Amino acid sequence: MENKSMSYEYDLNLKATELRLALPGSDEPDEKQSVTCVRSNKRASSEISEESKSSSSVTIAGNGDSDAPPPAKAQVVGWPPIRSYRKNCLQGNKNEGEGVGRFMKVSMDGAPYLRKIDLRVYNSYSELLNALENMFKLTIGAYSERVGYHGSDYTPTYEDKDGDWMLVGDVPWEMFISSCKRLRIMKGSEARGLGCSL
Amino acid sequence: MESELKRFRNSPNSEELTRRSSFPDEVIERVLSLFKSHKDRSAVSLVCKDWYNAERWSRTHVFIGNCYSVSPEIVARRFPNIRSVTLKGKPRFSDFNLVPLNWGADIHAWLVVFADECPFLEELRLKRMTISDESLEFLSVSFPNFKSLSLLSCDGFSTNGLSAIATHCKNLIELDIQENGIDDRGGSWLSCFPESFTLLEVLNFANLTSDINFDVLERLVSRCKSLRVLKVNQSISLEQLPRLLVHAPQLTELGTGSFSQQLTFPQYEELESAFSSCNNIHTLSGLWDVKAIYLPALYSACTNLTFLNLSYAALQGGELAKLLRHCPRLQRLWVMDTVEDKGLEAVGLNCPLLEELRVFPLDPYDEEIAHGVTEAGFIAVSCFCPRLHYVLYFCRQMTNAAVATVVQNCPNFTHFRLCIMNPRQPDCTTGEPMDEAFGAVVKTCTKLQRLSVSGLLTDLTFEYIGKYAKNLETLSVAFAGSSDWGMQCVLEGCPKLRKLEIRDCPFGNKALLSGLEKYESMRSLWMSACNVTMNGCRLLARVMPRLNVEVMKEDGSDDSQADKVYVYRSVAGPRRDAPPSVQTL
């Protein structure tokens, strides 16, 4: 991520001298839960590193030095210590079924972390795409019904309630925000493939 | 009077002070009434019997940190003239669902006693108590001078209870409903304030989700000319907000409603204009669903802002940066980790007067983790905010070196609460335990009062704490330590320790029983999912009769294990209202 190099001015810069096994460009190989693994039903995964996923619970893998007994896979009660009120406020309707909760995951091919946005804050595709461009520092290009996005390497796609991957912009806005489960900004030829297949 | 005073001053013999004739009670009472801090008052009351009596008659505010440490009868008898009571109930871990429902801390018994003995009660501030609608109704009719109600992290009531308060409390100046488990049955409670009612100074209903009648709110705001704190809920839109603000330019604290409605240009201008006439705002919160492009509307109101609570506003780093450029006087900032390190760098650059920073996670439970903030953001803030003394930081990675750097930059921490969200996670660059991080904190920050530790920690962390944290009053520990020795170090080494809360640590009976007398000087001890047994707890209860030792068992656990233990000192004896799941030993 673009911020990382600047941030290590403050650090002791152990990173520069450290020998480690890691995929190039991934910053935190030791981290047990640094992940993004885009789950996609219909297409092959992108180049995002498929590091071991860990739930936010007590799962320790890899270099764990802990003496803890084999941890449960289930979420730990009351951890992290967030007040129930705050949890309910922000998670809200997550229990009502997959996805159409309040904050939408947005992943980008090649980025090690995903982001979250609140779709309700936007009123149109152009606002949403602007926000995505700012968030990921890229240009998305112009949309056309026939060939999808052109003019850049990036194509915004989304997974809908049926699990299908669609091009952002194909359906009317209102239908989009009520059916979108998560967003993925695809890069390169894969993206163009999706556009043409419609 | 003058001759009395001269005699007092010239007297070489301190015994003169204790003689009834040397100093009229009224004078002592008058002087003592100037003492506000309850610690000072407690000290004063211990000097001699005369001063004890003078103090108790002049005491108007009582703070009770644990509602079970004393009975309402004892309080009412000792302080007949109290006007204001602050009560805290359940152990703090009840906020995180670790305490069984119906645990207790019900306010009703207190209200009944106060209605009898202290009917002039004006103010009630409750934290983690259970209060029913019946109790709220009882409160509203039993205390004719009642002025202030503040409920934080409470449960057991619904908006019907608020209706009773609004209907009957003719002298109400404050209604502050914060982060409670309230049963929200609708917004009609607001309409219960009589049309003739004009005294309100504080109204906070940000916690409630139901729609309220905007016209009713607008009329209420416009006729309460002394209103200084207004925190509305999400049902109030951006279009409606200016209509409230124009009626209350004197506001000092504002909590907005939703900040994302699509506005026309004239509507935006109206919003901007309304904010520009609010020159007195020092605290701003709300900003639900914030749409960053509308933030410039509030820039003009940010000049004198000292507290900005964005903890429910999912802003990105760049958006935060733009806003903070207009908040040069900021002292307290609460944000969500969506701002990431970049946002925290902006904090450092724009807010040199910052004293308190809290970073909350947007989605702490997700398997696919969003980035959030890291050690880099923490360092960035510390570099440029030397006055920082309070931090609450939720993150997914941290290093020992970073924490050491932070406390070197900011040695004045009084509250250091670091939550590395994955339990037992080591230093993300070295793979080592985080012992040295907290070692640095306690060695450098001599004024430290409150500490929350996290990450992979051995007993060494607790050795450091016991050795260096001489002003520590509150310690929170989770998934840490290697043996009983860790907890022993803390109990033996921290003279000012008042609250110790521990979960999921390998501390057992030996550790528990190493603190026998210590617990009498503390407010409370909580231990859950540790290695303490029922026998250990029984022994503690037997040896220390002035402590209440309560055990809560989990379903299906071993009979001998004490799953959750809560120990606290009390002059009221064991409580009689414990539910079946709580056993007092």
Side-chain angles (χ1 to χ4, degrees), chain A residues 1-4 6-8 10-12 14-15 18 20 27-39 53-61 63-69 71 73 75-87 89-91 94 102-103 105 107 112-118 120-124 127 131 134-135 137 182, chain B residues 92 94-98 127-128 152-153 179-180 206-208 234 260-262 288-294 309 311-312 314 316 334 336 338 340-342 345 360-371 374-376 379-380 383-384 394 396-397 399 401 405 419-426 428-433 453-454 456 478-479 503-504:
Chain A
M1 290 179 63
E2 58 280 0
N3 290 334
K4 274 296 184 183
M6 188 163 79
S7 72
Y8 281 103
Y10 303 113
D11 197 323
L12 294 183
L14 298 170
K15 284 247 160 262
E18 195 180 27
R20 47 191 171 85
D27 282 321
E28 306 299 343
D30 292 332
E31 206 182 335
K32 282 133 192 69
Q33 80 295 22
S34 80
V35 189
T36 43
C37 183
V38 178
R39 271 177 297 202
K53 269 203 304 185
S54 121
S55 71
S56 64
S57 72
V58 200
T59 317
I60 308 292
N63 304 328
D65 294 322
S66 166
D67 295 326
K73 276 288 178 185
Q75 221 168 72
V76 178
V77 174
W79 188 265
I82 313 281
R83 273 197 192 145
S84 333
Y85 170 75
R86 170 172 289 276
K87 255 173 28 195
C89 227
L90 296 171
Q91 256 73 81
K94 224 180 195 175
R102 175 138 165 205
F103 288 98
K105 294 182 200 176
S107 58
Y113 300 102
L114 52 79
R115 301 300 232 299
K116 288 200 163 182
I117 57 171
D118 183 356
R120 301 187 302 186
V121 162
Y122 308 105
N123 297 303
S124 69
E127 279 187 25
N134 284 333
M135 208 182 281
K137 305 279 184 284
R182 54 183 303 153
Chain B
R92 194 175 77 96
S94 74
D95 281 349
F96 319 127
N97 299 330
L98 286 179
K127 188 170 183 181
R128 294 191 199 100
L152 170 57
S153 229
E179 305 215 340
N180 300 291
N207 179 199
L208 304 180
Q234 293 177 65
S260 73
Q261 177 190 4
Q262 194 167 22
W288 308 89
D289 306 336
V290 64
K291 216 168 143 98
I293 52 165
Y294 293 145
N309 180 353
S311 64
Y312 292 99
Q316 304 295 323
W334 296 14
M336 275 219 268
T338 47
E340 300 186 4
D341 292 334
K342 176 178 169 184
E345 281 157 27
F360 295 91
L362 172 61
D363 199 341
Y365 309 105
D366 207 326
E367 284 189 15
E368 293 171 291
I369 311 299
H371 192 37
T374 72
E375 70 277 12
I379 294 176
C383 274
F384 299 104
F394 283 87
R396 291 188 171 84
Q397 63 186 67
T399 67
T405 305
C419 182
I420 302 169
M421 289 191 271
N422 201 20
R424 302 195 188 90
Q425 182 172 302
C428 67
T429 55
T430 65
E432 284 171 4
V453 299
S454 59
L456 180 67
F479 305 103
R503 63 165 292 175
D504 294 89

Side-chain angles (χ1 to χ4, degrees), chain B residues 100-135:
Chain B
L101 288 170
N102 309 319
W103 181 85
D106 195 311
I107 190 67
H108 200 78
W110 290 82
L111 292 177
V112 168
V113 170
F114 286 148
D116 242 354
E117 315 270 351
C118 313
F120 300 114
L121 191 69
E122 296 175 0
E123 178 177 4
L124 194 61
R125 314 194 79 84
L126 304 182
K127 188 170 183 181
R128 294 191 199 100
M129 301 279 300
T130 294
I131 178 163
S132 66
D133 286 343
E134 289 70 35
S135 295

